[in-house]
Amino acid sequence: MKNWTIRDIAVWQENTFGPSVRSQTMKAKCEAREYLKAKKQQKRWERVDWFIAQCWLAYFKKEPNARMSLEMMQLLPDWEEIQQDINVKMEINLKRTWANVKGEWRHVGED
């Protein structure tokens, strides 16, 4: 399985969601809301989604808060586990169909 870097994720995001600061910021806000609402095991995957959503802002726009958040997460003692979860989630994301639904990017067509 590929070891996804911030750059790799940012390039995928731009190709998937476009180079719009507004679009990328909205995706990051959406993922932050989902992380804050998540319970127990789901929180693990929402944390990964939140990380992924910040990559474009950190890499292409050099947004200081996104960069700091990503750097801090990489210092966590369970970073290797988080990285593995990122790898798994990105493989899932690659297979998904994405659409802008009421101003937010969502995966569609799944049960």
Side-chain angles (χ1 to χ4, degrees):
M1 181 175 295
K2 178 178 178 160
N3 196 37
W4 285 81
T5 66
I6 290 169
R7 180 196 176 282
D8 295 334
I9 295 168
V11 169
W12 170 80
Q13 285 177 294
E14 184 156 323
N15 291 336
T16 303
F17 308 126
S20 162
V21 173
R22 183 181 185 288
S23 176
Q24 297 290 348
T25 300
M26 293 298 291
K27 182 65 177 158
K29 286 180 180 181
C30 174
E31 295 302 343
R33 283 191 309 271
E34 290 179 4
Y35 172 73
L36 292 171
K37 290 179 185 177
K39 306 287 186 213
K40 297 184 181 181
Q41 185 64 16
Q42 191 59 28
K43 202 150 193 93
R44 169 184 171 190
W45 294 107
E46 293 302 340
R47 173 175 66 173
V48 167
D49 287 344
W50 177 74
F51 181 95
I52 290 168
Q54 293 186 85
C55 289
W56 187 90
L57 295 168
Y59 184 79
F60 284 117
K61 296 314 285 181
K62 310 291 189 236
E63 205 285 326
N65 291 329
R67 292 176 76 175
M68 182 180 69
S69 295
L70 298 181
E71 289 170 8
M72 295 299 290
M73 192 176 285
Q74 291 173 324
L75 295 174
L76 292 173
D78 61 341
W79 170 247
E80 288 183 27
E81 181 181 321
I82 295 167
Q83 178 68 64
Q84 291 307 310
D85 289 347
I86 290 166
N87 296 340
V88 168
K89 191 61 179 250
M90 285 306 301
E91 294 303 315
I92 292 168
N93 284 341
L94 286 174
K95 295 174 185 170
R96 288 180 160 161
T97 300
W98 296 88
N100 190 315
V101 178
K102 298 181 183 175
E104 291 186 348
W105 283 96
R106 298 281 185 179
H107 50 91
V108 295
E110 296 177 17
D111 295 331

